[in-house]
Amino acid sequence: QVQLVESGGASVQAGGSLRLSCAASGFTFSTYCMGWFRQAPGKEREGVARIYIGSRNIAYADSVKGRFTVSPDNANNTLYLQMDSLKPEDSAVYFCAASPYCHGDFCGCTMGRPYPYWGPGTQVTVSS
């Protein structure tokens, strides 16, 4: 079955960097849409970035554009999120999510689409 496991979360100072990993298994990596999301305490979950693995078509939320970079490692079925110039407002639990390009009535790869598979999350804390 599909499994996603995030790792790499940590506590860092503002301006620092982290690289999150999402180890994926149970599906053909290149045919899926995958996303990174985050949720801070008391806030709604928000999309950070998404990628259609097959075409490497990538989109970022405005709040992280130019600071975060998504990259897939197809050989190891792992999705990375490189986070640079971290700010305290980036503090959150970060989740990776996956969906077949077509799932149910929806076809496409957007941050707002339904994602049926989620990892348990990894905590990122950025102190000022």
Side-chain angles (χ1 to χ4, degrees):
Q1 73 271 23
V2 173
Q3 285 193 320
L4 303 170
V5 179
E6 305 92 339
S7 61
S11 295
V12 297
Q13 297 272 351
S17 297
L18 281 175
R19 189 176 78 159
L20 304 185
S21 301
C22 174
S25 61
F27 62 97
T28 304
F29 199 56
S30 62
T31 65
Y32 270 53
C33 174
M34 296 189 71
W36 282 102
F37 296 81
R38 65 187 182 187
Q39 187 166 21
K43 294 189 176 181
E44 291 190 358
R45 186 174 60 202
E46 64 171 339
V48 173
R50 64 92 182 136
I51 177 172
Y52 180 54
I53 303 291
S55 66
R56 298 209 174 198
N57 182 278
I58 299 172
Y60 297 95
D62 287 343
S63 58
V64 306
K65 206 171 289 184
R67 300 188 299 121
F68 289 13
T69 304
V70 170
S71 60
D73 177 349
N74 285 25
N76 293 300
N77 278 18
T78 301
L79 185 69
Y80 298 104
L81 181 67
Q82 177 67 39
M83 306 188 295
D84 299 316
S85 303
L86 282 162
K87 304 175 181 180
E89 52 264 42
D90 294 320
S91 297
V93 178
Y94 283 71
F95 302 89
C96 74
S99 174
Y101 187 80
C102 288
H103 184 76
D105 295 332
F106 190 92
C107 286
C109 190
T110 67
M111 276 185 272
R113 67 153 298 143
Y115 287 85
Y117 307 110
W118 291 83
T122 187
Q123 176 72 48
V124 171
T125 303
V126 184
S127 57
S128 57

